[in-house]
Amino acid sequence: MTLDGSGDSEQAIFATGGYDHTIKIWQTHSGICQRTCQHADSQVNALEITPDRQLLAAAGFQHIRMYDLASNNPNAVINYEGVNKNVTGLGFQKEGKWMYTGGEDCTAKIWDLRSRTLQCQRIFQVSAPVNCVCLHPNETELLVGDQSGVIHLWDLKTDHNEQLIPEPEASIQHISIDANGLYMAAVNNKGKCYIWSLTDGLDNEPTKLTPRHKFEAHKRYALKCKFSADSKLLVTTSADQIARIWSTPEFKLVQELKHDSQRWVWDAVFSADSQYVFTASSDGYAKLWNVETGEIERDYAGHNKAITALAFRDTI
C-alpha cells in the first residue's frame, strides 16, 4: 500500500462506521472523506466489503444493510430485515456466493446472496448471544464465539458441531484465523488471548485445534484480534486504549499503538502488504499506523461519536 496516492492505493476502499449512525468512505492516502452514507436507527456493529468490491455490508440493530460502492447513493440498496437484536459480525465466502452473520439472538446464519429472497438459508442455534463469527479458509467450517465463553466449530458440510471453552464464563469477543489456516486466535473480555494451531481433519473429520499459547494481551476487556495477510502478525485491540501487535509463531509483542487522545480501540485491520494497521476508536477518529515504527501516518476525522467498525480492501 502506498501513502502518496500513486499506484493501487486509488483502488483501496476504506470505510468506517459507529455510533453517529453514519458510514464514511475515505480516500486512504489523503484522509479525505469521499462519501457519507446514512445508517439510520442504529449504531454500526460491523462492516465488510464484498469480494467483488461492489457492495459494503453493515451490521446493526435488527438489520443488515448493503450499500452500493460504485454510486453516490447515501442510502442502502439492500436491506435484510427480520433479524432480532444486534447483528454483531458478518463476512463473505471468497467468491461472494454467500454471507455469514452472528448476533445477539443466539444464532449464526448463512445467507445465499444469489437468492432473490432476502431470507437466511441456514441457522445455527447456540445458547448464548453470539459476539463473533469467523470463516475458516477451507470455507467449510464456521467458528462462532459466544458470551458464555464457548467457541463453536460448525461444519457447514455435515452440520456437525464441536465446542471449545478456553476459559469458563469469559465472553469470547473475537476470533481470527490466519489466511494459511495455520493458527486460530481468540480474545475474551478479561484481556486474554488464546492461540491454537490448526491441522486438517482426516476423512471428512473436522479441523483439529491444538492449544499453543495463552497470554494476557491487555489489562482490560479485549475487543478484536486480526491476523495480517502474510500470517506473520496479529493485532489485538482493547478497552485499555491500546492496540498491540504480536509476531507469529511465538506471539511476542513487537509494537504498541497508543495515543493520548485514544479511547477504547474497537476495531483494527491490516493493509494487504501487512505494513500498516488501521484502528477505530471511541475518540471518533480512525488512524493509520506504521507497523514498523508505531507512528501514526494518517488521521481520518469526521465522525462525531465513537467509531466501532472498519472495513478495508486493497491490493498488494
Side-chain angles (χ1 to χ4, degrees), residues 88 102-103 107-108 124 126 128-134 142-153 164 171-175 186-187:
T88 52
T107 68
F124 178 64
V126 299
V130 171
N131 285 335
C132 54
V133 281
C134 175
L142 191 69
L143 283 302
V144 179
D146 74 28
Q147 289 183 15
S148 72
V150 180
I151 298 173
H152 308 264
L153 178 70
L164 281 169
S171 174
I172 301 295
Q173 297 303 115
H174 204 244
I175 299 169
V187 291

Side-chain angles (χ1 to χ4, degrees), residues 267-284:
D267 202 356
V269 62
F270 282 95
S271 61
D273 60 12
S274 306
Q275 293 178 21
Y276 300 94
V277 171
F278 295 89
T279 60
S281 168
S282 290
D283 63 7

